[in-house]
Amino acid sequence: MFSVKPLKPTFKSYLPPVQTDLKKSPQLTIRKLEAKLLPGEIVVNEANFVRKCIGTESSQDDLWGKLICTNFKVSFITHNSLPQQNFKYVHRLLGEHDVPLACVEQVVTVNDAKGKQKVLGSNKKLKFNPTELILYCKDFRILRFRFDQAGPESAKKVCLAIAHYSQPADPQLLFGFEYAGSRYYNSSGERVNGVDPGGGHQTPMFDRPSDWDREIKRTGASEWRVCSINEGYLVSPSLPECFVVPASLADQDLKQYACSFTGQRIPLWCWSHPNGSALVRMSSISDPQQQRKLDQRISSAITKSHPQRSDVLKSDLDKQLPNIQEVQAALAKLRQVCVIEPFEESEEKWLSSLESSRWMDYVRAFLRHAVEIVYMLEGKHTSVILLEEEDRDLSCVVSCLVQLMLDPHCRSLLGFQGLVQREWVMAGHRFLDRCNHLRKNDKEESPLFLLFLDCVWQLLNQYPSAFEFTETYLTVLSDSVWIPVFSTFLFNCPKQRAEHSRDFARSKSIPLGQEQVLRFPPVWDWSQQFSPKDQTLFNNPLYVGKSATYVQNGAVKTFKRTKQKSYSSTLRGLPLALRNGQLSDLDTLPRRNSLVLRLPTAAEPQGLLLPQLLPSHLTLWRLYFLRWVPEARIPRGGPVTAFHKLSLLVDEIHTLQSHLRHYSTSNSSFTLTSTPSGLPPPAPSPAPSPLPPGPGLALSPPSNTPHRPQSLSRSPPDHHQQRQGRMYFRAPLSTPAGPGASIPTSSSCPAPDYLSSSFPFSPVGNLCRRGLLGTPLSKLLSGARIWLSTETLANETL
Amino acid sequence: MASASIPAYNSIPLENSSSQNASNESLKMEPLADVALLPGEERVIDKDIIYICPFNGALKGKVFITNFRLYFKSDGDHVVVLDVPLGAISRVEKMGGASSRGENSYGLDITCKDMRNLRFALKQEGHSRRDIFEILFRYAFPLSHGLPLFAYLSQEKFDENGWHVYKPMEEYRRQGLPTDKWRISFINEDYKLCDTYPTILVVPFKATEDDLQKVATFRSRCRIPVLSWINKENQAVIVRCSQPLVGMSGKRNKDDERYLEMIREANGTTKLTIFDARPNVNAVANKATGGGYEGDDAYQNAELVFLDIHNIHVMRESLKKLKDIVYPNVEEAHWLSSLESTHWLEHIKLVLSGAIQVADKVSSGNSVVVHCSDGWDRTAQLTSLAMLMLDSHYRTLRGFQVLLEKEWIGFGHKFASRIGHGDKNHADQDRSPIFLQFIDCVWQMTKQFPTAFEFNERLLMVILDHLYSCRFGTFLYNCENVRDNNLLRTKTVSLWSLVNSDTSSFINPFYTEESSRVLYPVASMRHLELWVTYYIRWNPRIRQQQQSPVEQRYRELLALRDQYLKKLQELQLSDSSPSTHLSNSSTPSAASPTQHITRLQTPF
């Protein structure tokens, strides 16, 4: 529900659309239209001869087809194809015109003739026959369907079904359960739908002590240990079964302390700086009697775990950051100005409307807060406790941002996914409540995860080569929240997941075998949603990874970050600018008494990443917020055109590397002579790699996957992927038949026509605002006129 | 030590110095003590002084003033440097008096044209500021003191002569002119028809020299409609001129009407579109002073569109407001609404959307006439931006120079009046950032189409820096007539000499040539951005990167690709030389493969 009530008024002003140039009546083929169903998916209701609106100005591009409501999605099936759209990535769970029910924010039915409209809820009645259905989606899309030619009854039924099924009363009615269940039934461990039930991904899930052990080792947090007192969720309902605590605290003490914390949440270790300072998150102490004592104990335990026994700083997030309702209100206002208000009318006040939504303010506030904590950990060598009432919302954002700024590992794809898995999923962020899938309590709804992704995008925007992934990845990740099949976003905490899946399995008599849980795919198994080819849209061609090649004085070199050492050396606290000896650090002295200003600003993709926090340097995440807005689309423009160019070049480099590799393997004498001393001879693996592993791209999988849990079954390392390239856009290439084959060049390849600032998304048919129909667009355009200053007349030059 | 070995990512600090190019170009300067002087530059005075830095507070140091620049270097370990071309100074004021109290209250206050202010403090005893103030005043405003601009003193030499970049005949020939409908006229050879137009004009074939004379009487300042650009495919043209002299009585002029009719007929456009850049009310108001616009009755085969772009005074005030919110400190509390209230981006939007409308008409085959009041400010913005959208040649490094030489310099944008080169009258109402606004529009386009322009942001910054610096002759004077009288092209150096002698740092590596493509930027507030790397570049909190990291990384990758290519060619050569399958025999180097492969590797 919008808190701003965007839709209520102006019904009177609504004019029925001009029914002129409609395509000729629906064709026979429509009867053959069948929904594509996933395992466990069933059709609830459907209507034929439905028209999906495409353009806002006229109905000539509209599509005829069948509107179907299943227990998973609203599906529109058509044989028509969209105008001017020759590209779309293929989603494996959703068709081109489909919306998951969980993504539907508001269902509005309209009857033109009677001049009525109604927002439909679950189990509501509808007293008129709808002529139009408008779906407002959580991902900012607005879809419109017309029922002029459809049977009135079936139209009504399908609308009611959509309204009803998009608001399930029980979590187990979310499609993920049926899906996971049927996959289990149908498969008994085999691959279903091309999906490997084991996961097929390499992201550590942090549901077992070994994942945490590795993380402790990776960060060098020697005075911290994995604790399993919450096994069976006996101590705290919202904590995972295992987590990390100061080594000096015994299980017995922890159990005792737990009762005094809100939600029995024992303070959780998040991360340790190479200097030993730790980042810890903690809920409030509910028992005032215990407050001081407990505070002291926890603090002293954390101090003990610090190699220099440094003090501990507490940062009270509730006092310094917006709360979840404020964030929710900000997004509602942002949605209002981005997609609800007519484009031209909102142009004049665009900047101030953006400001008054406060979304950018909040993005800045979270980034700023994270920077201040980075300063404590990095500059002051102080451990920090993030304090939040429940420790399940703001802490997730701040903890992740701090780690992204300090730890380059978190900026790799797997590192990032592990980070989200740890700090959001395992730490018990209430995804179910915050997404409000069940419409139980609107006050609990909050787009905190989107806000976090926006903060990450700001970092990515300022440091474009520091991340292994792209903004497309962030956008798709955010959209995945509304596809209710992933374990990642379905539950409030690990315990809830375990209970629900057990209950569901019991009720459906699904044999669970040893593990006692129904396996939901995590979102990290991207093969669930996209082909390997489409997944390459996630790869950032600019990424300077752990090792990257560059050319210096005509020679190709590789720099490599060896584990701990160079990591800390980049963080010596001396900003690069100072080392260059050019600039004084005077200008970094505080002007106001702010911590932030004293921080060294570094621009090292491998080291500390500090965002520029001036409001002038934070920008709207256009791809996410404006991708559906037809008027905002820049055809064959936008950052993606540079991305395209980069991808071609990187792909070309990969090809060259593999050619060179071909030489070094086919010519053994060559290989021997070319191995420099000190380097072990190439292993007899399928792809020996005496060459640097690529321009920042992890060509050799093992080097990039330090966390592979051994037990998970998975597809063999990326050989397949490697062959088909890690870049979505491929350099034009005549297949290298052997030595002497022509050499590719990417430099002169123009961007394909389908690229636009919305890529890989398309606004076509995804944003049909109400009220534009019937009002000539030209009128709106000419109506938006400019203020006139009086000086204009007086001063006009002649 | 990963970080130190990534030279590309070092944020090279752009100290408080005038501009990055100054330091780059310093290679060409003779080192002299601390300051590397340009050839022809002479030191005038050195003085101990206190620079009151808005970011760091008072800094003791030494100031050097030459006939070209003001250079300040602070004492102590942490050196702050200012390097300001005197041409960038718009105003020098004394601050405080001999009896002023308080620390550092006695000194100089300098306002610059490039979005910053400088304050210096001196000792109160003994009129210590008198000499420096007078010298600064003299050399910053040479024209007000009967002195030459520095461009006439400079002895700089470059490999290429930038004055040869633009040759009008060549450019018109490139456009396919003359045709059977358009001819080249030399009527203005001695600037007799119009003293602010260039010598070579393109006019309708049917119009006689006599017609041109008659039309000139009906157009403000005799700036008759002449061709700026012709679309090779459909022969639609962009014609520029000044407003018709309609006046209160609504005068008509048959010759002018017939002349526009000839333009329309040239490619059979059914309705000639006249874009009046001004807001409707301004156009009406101009009637009071003899101007006006083309009425429906008189020009029946024309449609008139007002583009609502405001005049030079509105733009000047808007930029002033913008400066207030970015210098010295960025307005943090209400950034977006403050930015909105400057209207700067809104003006940019109107100029861009006007140009889009022009380009759209022309690419769909309709000829257009563009004018404002005099046809040298808004008109130049609109025609040049539309041409940039329509003709990919202007999106190349040299083509862009041609565009500026032609539409701005040649057709008499009053650079001298708008910028006030060497002139002390800082409050002159003729000053206005029209050209800056145009460059900003170009920048917005490069942001929306990162691969469509051969030049990069740096070129735009350098152009703007030398718009003020007076180091080059390129932007001096109001029109060609005056330039000729002052022997500008023989006595000064062109900015394009500097640029074209070493183009590498001005090239956008992402550039992809697409010759027939028309670019339509989206002129929406949703995409327009404040050009922070220009407007907020003096703020030390923004650690400037000398080059965009993306561009930098792309260059590195290009170099890497070339290395691999070379490597591969060598391998293929050595591999195939005993056998027969040789395709790349042109490999330059014959170095042994082993030697090279080791260069490809680095010890881990």
Side-chain angles (χ1 to χ4, degrees), chain B residues 473-511:
Chain B
T474 303
F475 298 115
L476 301 182
Y477 302 116
N478 282 338
C479 55
E480 297 289 18
N481 189 8
V482 184
R483 275 177 209 116
D484 285 358
N485 293 339
N486 287 284
L487 304 172
L488 182 87
R489 290 194 168 85
T490 48
K491 294 201 161 179
T492 70
V493 177
S494 162
L495 170 59
W496 315 129
S497 301
L498 169 90
V499 170
N500 295 338
S501 294
D502 182 11
T503 56
S504 60
S505 59
F506 302 113
I507 295 289
N508 168 17
F510 291 103
Y511 176 60

Side-chain angles (χ1 to χ4, degrees), chain A residues 271-279 306-307 376-377 380-383:
Chain A
W271 184 76
S272 279
H273 192 281
N275 68 24
S277 313
L279 181 66
H306 195 292
M376 297 313 293
L377 292 165
K380 294 277 176 189
H381 297 230
T382 304
S383 294

Side-chain angles (χ1 to χ4, degrees), chain B residues 32 47 50 195 221 231 242 261 300 308 373 375 384 405 464 525 561:
Chain B
L32 182 73
K47 204 173 183 74
I50 296 164
D195 62 350
R221 295 172 201 272
N231 189 327
S242 61
E261 193 60 17
Q300 289 190 344
D308 293 309
S373 296
S384 55
E405 287 284 347
L464 288 178
M525 294 307 290
R561 195 258 323 253

Side-chain angles (χ1 to χ4, degrees), chain A residues 376-580:
Chain A
M376 297 313 293
L377 292 165
E378 156 84 25
K380 294 277 176 189
H381 297 230
T382 304
S383 294
V384 177
I385 299 176
L386 303 178
L387 189 65
E388 191 192 356
E389 173 73 28
E390 274 205 302
D391 180 35
R392 297 173 72 177
D393 290 303
L394 310 180
S395 306
C396 307
V397 185
V398 175
S399 164
C400 282
L401 289 177
V402 168
Q403 294 179 55
L404 281 163
M405 290 176 196
L406 283 166
D407 188 347
H409 170 73
C410 299
R411 300 172 215 146
S412 68
L413 186 70
L414 289 181
F416 181 77
Q417 298 187 156
L419 181 70
V420 173
Q421 189 65 27
R422 258 187 292 140
E423 300 295 342
W424 291 81
V425 183
M426 281 300 141
H429 177 67
R430 301 173 190 270
F431 275 109
L432 184 65
D433 294 346
R434 297 294 170 256
C435 294
N436 204 13
H437 284 318
L438 309 180
R439 306 297 160 97
K440 266 191 186 152
N441 187 350
D442 286 350
K443 278 189 190 147
E444 292 286 322
E445 184 172 345
S446 182
L448 220 53
F449 189 63
L450 177 63
L451 184 84
F452 162 66
L453 294 180
D454 196 340
C455 293
V456 179
W457 180 84
Q458 302 289 343
L459 288 169
L460 172 63
N461 190 40
Q462 294 187 17
Y463 297 95
S465 53
F467 294 84
E468 190 178 4
F469 45 85
T470 57
E471 65 171 326
T472 302
Y473 169 80
L474 293 174
T475 310
V476 163
L477 178 57
S478 149
D479 289 344
S480 305
V481 169
W482 310 115
I483 304 175
V485 301
F486 307 116
S487 60
T488 321
F489 304 123
L490 269 182
F491 305 100
N492 283 336
C493 57
K495 183 188 184 201
Q496 192 189 31
R497 185 189 62 179
E499 285 179 355
H500 276 300
S501 61
R502 194 176 53 230
D503 294 354
F504 183 80
R506 262 189 214 139
S507 68
K508 299 273 172 174
S509 324
I510 299 170
L512 287 180
Q514 260 195 329
E515 295 193 56
Q516 290 300 309
V517 276
L518 192 58
R519 276 207 172 273
F520 295 89
V523 72
W524 317 127
D525 178 6
W526 290 105
S527 66
Q528 291 274 326
Q529 297 189 64
F530 303 103
S531 67
K533 165 77 178 164
D534 284 348
Q535 284 176 53
T536 56
L537 278 171
F538 300 167
N539 298 333
N540 180 1
L542 279 172
Y543 181 52
V544 176
K546 291 188 187 70
S547 61
T549 23
Y550 66 103
V551 177
Q552 197 176 46
N553 304 328
V556 181
K557 296 187 174 175
T558 301
F559 56 79
K560 198 176 158 99
R561 186 173 68 76
T562 50
K563 270 192 179 159
Q564 289 291 320
K565 267 188 207 155
S566 76
Y567 176 63
S568 47
S569 80
T570 63
L571 302 174
R572 279 171 310 176
L574 193 63
L576 201 65
L578 292 186
R579 267 181 267 143
N580 286 351

Side-chain angles (χ1 to χ4, degrees), chain A residues 364 604 632 636 690 743 798, chain B residues 286 332 374 514 527 565 601:
Chain A
R364 189 165 164 242
E604 299 158 79
R636 297 173 69 201
I743 283 157
L798 293 173
Chain B
N286 263 288
E332 293 202 40
D374 289 314
E514 288 177 274
H527 284 293
L565 263 179
Q601 290 181 321

Side-chain angles (χ1 to χ4, degrees), chain A residues 1-8 105-106 108 136-138 140-142 328 331-333 335-336 339-340 442 445:
Chain A
M1 288 290 154
F2 302 119
S3 46
V4 195
K5 296 191 205 160
L7 303 170
K8 283 287 159 62
E105 167 108 16
Q106 200 169 44
V108 179
Y136 290 86
C137 303
K138 299 206 181 191
F140 277 41
R141 279 187 287 174
I142 303 174
Q328 168 71 359
L331 187 72
K333 285 184 197 150
R335 177 202 303 267
Q336 179 75 22
V339 297
I340 310 278
D442 286 350
E445 184 172 345

Side-chain angles (χ1 to χ4, degrees), chain B residues 372-429:
Chain B
C372 46
S373 296
D374 289 314
W376 52 41
D377 291 312
R378 287 166 277 199
T379 300
Q381 290 179 329
L382 290 169
T383 57
S384 55
L385 285 169
M387 287 157 74
L388 203 57
M389 292 169 194
L390 289 162
D391 190 339
S392 61
H393 175 67
Y394 298 126
R395 305 196 285 260
T396 64
L397 182 63
R398 279 168 189 269
F400 189 64
Q401 297 166 13
V402 169
L403 184 70
L404 298 187
E405 287 284 347
K406 177 171 155 28
E407 289 303 296
W408 289 85
I409 297 165
F411 276 99
H413 172 67
K414 301 206 291 175
F415 280 105
S417 307
R418 298 290 174 256
I419 307 301
H421 292 129
D423 175 37
K424 67 177 180 182
N425 187 6
H426 61 84
D428 190 341
Q429 291 292 300

